[in-house]
């Protein structure tokens, strides 16, 4: 299959929007930015074996490539509009592409997001998406706007994706996966395999199909001071808000929200490590003045997604995780960083 056949296949499935003056097929796309809106642009690359396990299903890769970018726009409080897709493929594999477009298209359709261009090359499997969104002038949620005394909140639950990854790695290379001392608590006894498998599948779904909190991000305009999406781990990402805002934060370890599956699969202290420093959550972390608590609870109820107060912004320059007795919790490592030893 030639490059142009692949592009035709991609074009046939792109979402149509009125504000795409010229989409896939020319040297550039022409897009109509509505008057009085600002453009928000985010880009993220997924490399095989780095950002997803090599045996990940093509549809899950397609979903995730878009989800991680939508999560960035969510954290800006922006409304997604258009995207471009840069694909590096080892070979022109029609079946792989169709699977990929299933997952990509499913999420694009949910958000009315038009694919307006891209690039297709031969090389190691790598997917790069650039997303364009719209925001009311001056209303984007930024990292540098936290204020001392703000509460710190997170959407959804934390640690499931990291738990799934840890379980995968333990199956292949047990030594790599030890985030901290205690092992997983999956029910391993004879007859309990199906329960263990069901648990693992729930965790795995959070790794493969993260749900970007786009609608919540939109409604946080005028309520949140600062926001970030959680890709590298809570403590690390909250650290970015603190550094940009010139402040510190305290997080209550016991307050971190956990799914039922994570509670069943991992006990503290390992569960706490997965929640506080595990990556790939794609939840929103934001700060807001305490008087906004009621409105945030309403947003959570309307969205059907828990939003949990996990700490506060304080003067200083570091993020402390506190145990119930007020002692500092020392993480085994901080969030995922590329290029570190
Ligand atoms: P050029 O050589 O001018 O860059 P290409 O041959 O790379 O053009 O691409 C032709 C058209 O197909 C362009 O409009 C480009 O944006 C689009 N395109 C190429 N690859 C992709 C892709 N993976 N997804 C979406 N559009 C693509
Ligand atoms: Mg090109």
């Amino acid at each position: 299959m030639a490059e142009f056949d692949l592009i035709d296949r991609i074009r046939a499935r792109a979402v149509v929007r009125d504000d795409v003056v010229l989409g896939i097929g020319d040297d550039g796309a022409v897009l109509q930015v509505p008057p009085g809106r600002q453009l928000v642009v985010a880009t993220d690359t997924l490399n095989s074996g780095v950002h997803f396990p090599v045996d990940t299903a093509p549809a899950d890769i397609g979903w995730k490539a878009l989800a991680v970018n939508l999560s960035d726009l969510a954290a800006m409080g922006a409304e997604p509009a258009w995207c471009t897709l840069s694909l590096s493929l080892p070979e022109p594999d029609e079946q792989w592409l169709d699977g990929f477009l299933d997952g990509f298209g499913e999420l694009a359709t949910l958000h009315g997001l038009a694919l307006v261009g891209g690039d297709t090359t031969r090389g190691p499997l790598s997917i790069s998406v650039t997303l364009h969104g719209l925001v009311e002038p001056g209303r984007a949620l930024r990292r540098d706007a936290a204020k001392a005394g703000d509460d710190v909140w997170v959407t959804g639950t934390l640690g499931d994706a990291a738990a799934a990854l840890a379980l995968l790695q333990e199956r292949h290379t047990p030594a790599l996966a030890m985030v901290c001392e205690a092992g997983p608590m999956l029910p391993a006894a004879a007859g309990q395999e199906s329960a263990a498998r069901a648990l693992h599948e729930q965790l795995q779904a959070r790794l493969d199909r993260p749900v970007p909190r786009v609608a919540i991000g939109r409604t946080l305009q005028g309520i949140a001071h600062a926001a970030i999406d959680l890709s590298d781990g809570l403590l690390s990402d909250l650290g970015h808000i603190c550094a940009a805002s010139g402040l510190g934060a305290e997080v209550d370890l016991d307050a971190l929200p956990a799914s039922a599956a994570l509670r069943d699969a991992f006990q503290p202290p390992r569960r706490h490590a997965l929640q506080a420093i595990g990556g790939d959550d794609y939840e929103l972390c934001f700060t807001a003045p305490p008087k906004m608590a009621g409105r945030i609870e309403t947003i959570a109820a309307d969205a059907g997604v828990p939003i949990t107060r996990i700490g506060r912004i304080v003067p200083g320059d570091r993020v402390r995780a506190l145990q119930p007795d007020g002692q500092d919790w020392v993480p085994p490592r901080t969030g995922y960083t590329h290029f570190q030893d």
Side-chain angles (χ1 to χ4, degrees):
M1 203 181 207
E3 179 192 337
F4 295 109
D5 297 327
L6 290 179
I7 296 172
D8 281 344
R9 249 183 147 74
I10 293 169
R11 183 183 10 204
R13 297 186 54 180
V15 171
V16 176
R17 282 174 65 109
D18 290 347
D19 52 12
V20 179
V21 181
L22 191 56
I24 293 173
D26 213 308
D27 293 310
V30 181
L31 308 169
Q32 185 62 56
V33 180
R37 308 289 288 281
Q38 287 178 332
L39 196 57
V40 180
V41 181
T43 193
D44 248 326
T45 300
L46 301 191
N47 292 328
S48 179
V50 179
H51 301 95
F52 55 87
V54 287
D55 55 1
T56 305
D60 290 337
I61 298 172
W63 174 286
K64 191 162 181 177
L66 201 48
V68 301
N69 279 281
L70 283 166
S71 180
D72 281 326
L73 280 207
M76 299 304 294
E79 177 194 340
W82 314 295
C83 66
T84 58
L85 168 65
S86 193
L87 271 180
S88 163
L89 301 175
E91 59 209 306
D93 180 341
E94 189 177 325
Q95 225 184 330
W96 186 92
L97 184 68
D98 285 345
F100 175 89
L101 292 172
D102 286 342
F104 190 93
E106 193 181 336
L107 192 53
T109 302
L110 276 175
H111 292 277
L113 182 72
L115 177 61
V116 298
D119 202 16
T120 307
T121 56
R122 190 186 287 262
L125 181 59
S126 173
I127 301 100
S128 185
V129 173
T130 299
L131 225 161
H132 302 76
L134 301 166
V135 76
E136 297 71 17
R139 304 270 283 176
L141 302 173
R142 304 163 53 126
R143 295 181 180 185
D144 62 3
K147 301 237 173 3
D150 278 357
D151 291 323
V152 178
W153 299 79
V154 289
T155 61
T157 62
L158 302 177
D160 284 6
L165 203 57
L167 291 174
L168 275 181
Q169 287 173 335
E170 261 152 49
R171 204 190 296 145
H172 300 302
T173 50
L176 259 183
M178 298 311 290
V179 179
C180 66
E181 307 293 81
M185 296 297 185
L186 284 180
Q192 292 192 299
E193 288 91 355
S194 65
R197 204 173 313 119
L199 263 186
H200 195 162
E201 275 166 17
Q202 287 170 49
L203 298 171
Q204 187 69 36
R206 298 288 308 278
L207 178 66
D208 291 335
R209 298 248 170 173
V211 176
R213 304 300 187 189
V214 175
I216 293 177
R218 296 286 294 150
T219 56
L220 287 175
Q221 275 191 8
I223 293 175
H225 278 156
I228 192 167
D229 76 311
L230 299 179
S231 52
D232 298 336
L234 170 70
L235 296 185
S236 168
D237 288 325
L238 178 55
H240 296 314
I241 286 185
C242 289
S245 301
L247 289 163
E250 292 172 355
V251 166
D252 302 319
L253 208 55
D254 254 13
L256 301 184
S259 69
L262 188 72
R263 280 182 196 283
D264 286 348
F266 291 92
Q267 300 295 318
R270 193 147 181 223
R271 185 206 303 153
H272 286 150
L274 293 166
Q275 294 175 281
I277 61 177
D280 264 357
D281 286 315
Y282 300 104
E283 296 292 350
L284 298 181
C285 174
F286 62 92
T287 83
K291 64 169 191 246
M292 292 296 180
R295 291 181 66 184
I296 292 165
E297 276 150 23
T298 304
I299 289 172
D302 290 349
V305 174
I307 305 181
T308 309
R309 186 164 24 182
I310 58 162
R312 60 230 139 250
I313 297 292
V314 296
D317 60 4
R318 65 192 184 105
V319 179
R320 295 173 64 197
L322 302 178
Q323 306 184 85
D325 62 4
Q327 296 285 328
D328 275 282
W329 175 76
V330 182
R333 62 171 178 88
T334 47
Y336 189 84
T337 314
H338 292 270
F339 309 117
Q340 92 184 350
D341 301 327

